[in-house]
Amino acid sequence: DSGVTQTPKHLITATGQRVTLRCSPRSGDLSVYWYQQSLDQGLQFLIQYYNGEERAKGNILERFSAQQFPDLHSELNLSSLELGDSALYFCASSPTGAGRLTQYFGPGTRLLVL
Amino acid sequence: AQSVTQPDIHITVSEGASLELRCNYSYGATPYLFWYVQSPGQGLQLLLKYFSGDTLVQGIKGFEAEFKRSQSSFNLRKPSVHWSDAAEYFCAVGTTSGTYKYIFGTGTRLKVLA
């Protein structure tokens, strides 16, 4: 158990809908990262937040957005969902200082868009 | 461009046999290297990491990896595989180009024969 939690574990929805994925980082970790794992794209970095502020963006679609709240939990919002958005979405967290180089992953949320 | 290559998509070994999973990276600076394991339906668990120093690093579950700068490789090894090692293994490089983030390889799926 990495200490990173994600809810829900599974999500089934329809095209055009909007969903919210939630992540709670390890206690004390200020950085949260979101990754998408799909069969055709592999593991792709989406976005990073640090202490409530966006730090970096990767291959994140404009239909997707994220935020990190004062209690450091983070939410990834996916809207106007398409079939191709079906994937496993991981959240990871890392501490500050030298420890920031290592990311600890949650169990993921499996999204199925029908 | 920075990249990580795992040349073997699938590997099958017999229980008790030795294992080597290959990982090659392309990165201009000193890389921060990681191996993660993903069991079916699970998140990514950190096996080991290399930042500097001794090029042979020990990890959890009896795994080790050797950093070879001349070959741009970070291969994962285990002397005797157990059936519970069946999983998907991901090599990643932590890149400090811009904001720190991971670039993952495409993964190697390990099957263990009884």
Side-chain angles (χ1 to χ4, degrees), chain A residues 84-98:
Chain A
D85 298 327
S86 296
L88 189 52
Y89 291 84
F90 284 112
C91 165
S93 74
S94 66
T96 55

Side-chain angles (χ1 to χ4, degrees), chain A residues 2 9 33 35 37 43-45 48 55-56 88 90 98 100-108 110, chain B residues 32 34 36 38 41-46 49 51 88 90 94 96 99-106:
Chain A
S2 67
K9 199 165 185 175
Y33 304 78
Y35 290 85
Q37 184 182 33
L43 268 162
Q44 299 270 316
F45 166 70
Q48 179 205 357
R55 268 293 174 92
L88 189 52
F90 284 112
R100 80 189 191 286
L101 299 177
T102 302
Q103 298 178 20
Y104 299 89
F105 285 78
R110 186 170 295 278
Chain B
Y32 304 114
F34 305 83
Y36 285 84
Q38 183 180 20
Q42 302 296 313
L44 294 163
Q45 182 182 22
L46 178 66
K49 59 189 177 186
F51 293 165
E88 190 154 20
F90 291 92
T96 54
T99 300
Y100 182 77
K101 60 180 179 291
Y102 279 5
I103 296 174
F104 281 94
T106 50

Side-chain angles (χ1 to χ4, degrees), chain B residues 35-97:
Chain B
W35 275 99
Y36 285 84
V37 60
Q38 183 180 20
S39 298
Q42 302 296 313
L44 294 163
Q45 182 182 22
L46 178 66
L47 284 176
L48 47 77
K49 59 189 177 186
Y50 172 79
F51 293 165
S52 64
D54 192 347
T55 56
L56 185 63
V57 293
Q58 302 297 320
I60 63 171
K61 303 186 179 188
F63 285 93
E64 66 178 26
E66 186 171 13
F67 171 60
K68 293 185 177 180
R69 183 184 299 276
S70 61
Q71 298 176 21
S72 298
S73 69
F74 188 57
N75 294 348
L76 182 71
R77 301 194 295 247
K78 186 168 185 178
S80 178
V81 169
H82 188 262
W83 64 266
S84 61
D85 294 324
E88 190 154 20
Y89 293 79
F90 291 92
C91 180
V93 61
T95 162
T96 54
S97 174

Side-chain angles (χ1 to χ4, degrees), chain A residues 11-69:
Chain A
L11 201 48
I12 302 174
T13 188
T15 54
Q17 295 298 304
R18 172 190 169 93
V19 297
T20 297
L21 314 183
R22 182 188 169 104
C23 167
S24 292
R26 298 186 323 155
S27 178
D29 286 358
L30 301 183
S31 277
V32 168
Y33 304 78
W34 286 97
Y35 290 85
Q36 180 194 58
Q37 184 182 33
S38 62
L39 286 175
D40 54 345
Q41 297 290 327
L43 268 162
Q44 299 270 316
F45 166 70
L46 294 178
I47 196 165
Q48 179 205 357
Y49 275 79
Y50 178 81
N51 202 20
E53 294 191 2
E54 182 184 302
R55 268 293 174 92
K57 271 187 172 180
N59 300 320
I60 189 166
L61 300 172
E62 286 194 10
R63 301 183 284 108
F64 296 0
S65 65
Q67 52 185 331
Q68 186 179 26
F69 295 87

